[in-house]
Amino acid sequence: MTDPRELRVSDAEREHVVTLLNKAVGRGMITLDEFTVRTDTALAAVTRADLNAVLVDLPGMVNNELAHARTELKNTMSTTTRKGHWVVPRELVIRNTLGTTNLDFTAAEVPPVVDVDLDVSLGTVKLLLPPGSSVNSDAVEITAGELKDKVHNSVGNPHFQLKGAVRGGTVVIKRKR
């Protein structure tokens, strides 16, 4: 499957991002000079990754096309980490074999509901959820592994819905202390 960030963008998407940049100027987030540079970059964008690059450091300014995308994180005998400001997709697939996946959602832009599909074999997945969030991990199938849910909360926002399989691995779900 093609990474959604590598999909080509339309004129409508470029115009949408220019509208978001215009709002950022109005909110005092960027200067007029920055607006000009970012607008030129947005209008020349070929892929969604190119387009989102002009918005990534602007909190609350997200290309809506990317916010609803499906992202797959693949990891074999390696470590994958997401922390700080990042845009969380509506659907997140984690394929982890003999590796570690650390996802810190505390400073991320998170949609109201995130579906997390786990495919973990002899690996570790750690999810650090934001305050007030909730999680449901009832649909995760564990075989010779462990799921540590330290959140124990089924009502909250955003809500993380976990499903999939963990074979000989560990999934840890917690909040920052």
Side-chain angles (χ1 to χ4, degrees), residues 27-157:
R27 294 179 184 170
M29 299 170 83
I30 59 175
T31 66
L32 286 174
D33 289 338
E34 289 174 300
F35 171 77
T36 302
V37 171
R38 290 175 189 235
T39 297
D40 290 345
T41 303
L43 293 174
V46 175
T47 65
R48 287 186 174 166
D50 298 336
L51 200 54
N52 204 43
V54 301
L55 300 173
V56 73
D57 63 336
L58 301 174
M61 299 289 163
V62 181
N63 180 356
N64 290 333
E65 295 297 319
L66 288 177
H68 301 292
R70 175 182 189 264
T71 298
E72 189 169 320
L73 300 175
K74 293 180 184 177
N75 179 344
T76 303
M77 296 173 51
S78 302
T79 300
T80 300
T81 301
R82 295 285 187 277
K83 63 182 179 178
H85 181 268
W86 61 291
V87 178
V88 179
R90 170 80 177 78
E91 184 179 355
L92 188 59
V93 179
I94 301 171
R95 298 195 191 287
N96 181 331
T97 305
L98 294 166
T100 302
T101 303
N102 296 314
L103 302 178
D104 181 345
F105 297 96
T106 57
E109 290 186 38
V110 185
V113 177
V114 179
D115 291 318
V116 180
D117 191 355
L118 298 169
D119 181 6
V120 181
S121 297
L122 302 171
T124 301
V125 174
K126 295 178 183 175
L127 307 176
L128 185 59
L129 304 186
S133 61
S134 61
V135 64
N136 183 332
S137 58
D138 294 342
V140 177
E141 181 182 329
I142 307 288
T143 306
E146 184 176 21
L147 187 139
K148 298 177 185 176
D149 181 354
K150 298 179 180 182
V151 173
H152 306 296
N153 189 3
S154 60
V155 178
N157 189 23

